[in-house]
Amino acid sequence: MKNVGKISGIIFMSLSILLIVYLSFTLDRKDDIKISVIELNGDNHLKKDQYFKFAGLDKTNEYGKLTLSLIKDRIEKHPYVNYAEVKYEGQNKVTVNIFEKNIDAILIAESRQFFITDELEVIPFLPFTNKVNYPVVSNPFIETDLKNIKWVNKESDIVTGLKILTTLKLVNPGLYEELSEIDLRIGKDIVLFFSNLDYPVVVGRNNEIRKTLYLNSLWGYLNGKDVNHYMNYIDLRYNEHVYIGLNSFPDNKENRASEDKESES
């Protein structure tokens, strides 16, 4: 019985070694894969030629040096790419299917632009970027240099803006689509701007999610009404109270302006 077990162990070990050698040979071999065409799919934020240039795939005369794993590694190093699937289709053709990161917002700070992903990753906003129809989160209060921030801290001012954005997206997708900017004003009262409104919405600070819900409830009454043409602002800074500024009351506008200065001081 001992000899049978020993023989079985030797056979298993031998097969394992042969399998490892086979996989190493088949994964790394290049002799039977001649690449002359690379097709890329899934490009939305950038055109194909920009991805090719970044990955060093823009020179067809150097395709003979490439392997599937090398192509995959180069493509996945691009900041817009989450992962890539690379497949040899035969007849010297390779297909690359890229899956770009999901973008939640454009971040504008220190006169620079970035993307924020749904994983709270901060990635550079590159030249020739195509799809930029995202809400803007601007002027966050940041204690460190933004270029050193790879991931957004969950306690940061940027996350405060993203909470407002996400809440609005969940409770009112239509109004979310019209959201153009969340101005964090470097720690001062937060102000929202919508592409379909000629006036700002002042959110202030603290209880931002609750105030966003107030705005959603109020929008149910204001949406499509003529009163929107006579409004200067919506003010949500005061707990459980909503103030609306109207063009027909100029004195009210002056009073609001003085109150804004007092609250900021």
Side-chain angles (χ1 to χ4, degrees), residues 227 229-232 244-253:
V227 69
H229 301 297
Y230 304 100
M231 292 172 60
N232 282 326
I244 297 176
L246 298 175
N247 290 327
S248 56
F249 297 94
D251 292 337
N252 187 46
K253 181 178 179 180

Side-chain angles (χ1 to χ4, degrees), residues 114-129:
F114 303 84
F115 274 141
I116 304 177
T117 72
D118 59 348
E119 299 292 334
L120 300 183
E121 182 183 5
V122 179
I123 59 177
F125 187 100
L126 300 176
F128 307 107
T129 297

Side-chain angles (χ1 to χ4, degrees), residues 72-255:
K72 177 179 174 67
D73 181 66
R74 289 186 182 182
I75 288 290
E76 289 184 339
K77 280 185 168 62
H78 196 286
Y80 287 3
V81 176
N82 188 15
Y83 67 95
E85 294 177 348
V86 181
K87 182 181 179 182
Y88 182 66
E89 303 288 356
Q91 298 182 341
N92 304 335
K93 179 181 177 180
V94 170
T95 298
V96 180
N97 295 316
I98 64 171
F99 297 84
E100 297 175 329
K101 296 173 182 177
N102 295 318
I103 307 300
D104 270 356
I106 297 173
L107 173 64
I108 298 180
E110 302 169 357
S111 300
R112 291 178 291 177
Q113 290 185 330
F114 303 84
F115 274 141
I116 304 177
T117 72
D118 59 348
E119 299 292 334
L120 300 183
E121 182 183 5
V122 179
I123 59 177
F125 187 100
L126 300 176
F128 307 107
T129 297
N130 287 324
K131 189 177 179 182
V132 293
N133 189 26
Y134 298 104
V136 172
V137 176
S138 64
N139 303 316
F141 176 77
I142 301 176
E143 296 181 347
T144 60
D145 193 331
L146 191 58
K147 68 180 181 181
N148 298 324
I149 299 177
K150 178 66 174 176
W151 302 91
V152 177
N153 186 302
K154 292 185 178 180
E155 303 300 323
S156 76
D157 202 27
I158 298 172
V159 170
T160 300
L162 294 176
K163 286 180 180 179
I164 296 173
L165 186 153
T166 302
T167 301
L168 200 57
K169 185 176 183 179
L170 290 173
V171 301
N172 195 329
L175 191 56
Y176 163 80
E177 291 294 329
E178 301 295 339
L179 178 64
S180 58
E181 182 179 357
I182 300 174
D183 190 347
L184 298 169
R185 301 182 66 235
I186 315 179
K188 295 180 181 180
D189 287 332
I190 300 171
V191 180
L192 310 184
F193 297 92
F194 295 85
S195 59
N196 62 334
L197 301 179
D198 295 328
Y199 53 83
V201 177
V202 183
V203 176
R205 290 283 172 172
N206 301 317
N207 301 316
E208 292 88 4
I209 294 179
R210 183 189 301 174
K211 292 174 181 177
T212 305
L213 295 176
Y214 288 162
L215 174 62
N216 177 58
S217 298
L218 179 64
W219 185 242
Y221 296 98
L222 295 178
N223 187 19
K225 301 297 192 303
D226 289 340
V227 69
N228 284 285
H229 301 297
Y230 304 100
M231 292 172 60
N232 282 326
Y233 59 83
I234 295 176
D235 193 338
L236 304 172
R237 289 177 297 170
Y238 306 99
N239 290 335
E240 300 182 2
H241 291 85
V242 177
Y243 292 89
I244 297 176
L246 298 175
N247 290 327
S248 56
F249 297 94
D251 292 337
N252 187 46
K253 181 178 179 180
E254 294 175 1
N255 292 336

Side-chain angles (χ1 to χ4, degrees), residues 254-265:
E254 294 175 1
N255 292 336
R256 271 277 36 94
S258 64
E259 288 180 15
D260 288 348
K261 292 180 180 178
E262 290 176 2
S263 64
E264 292 180 7
S265 61

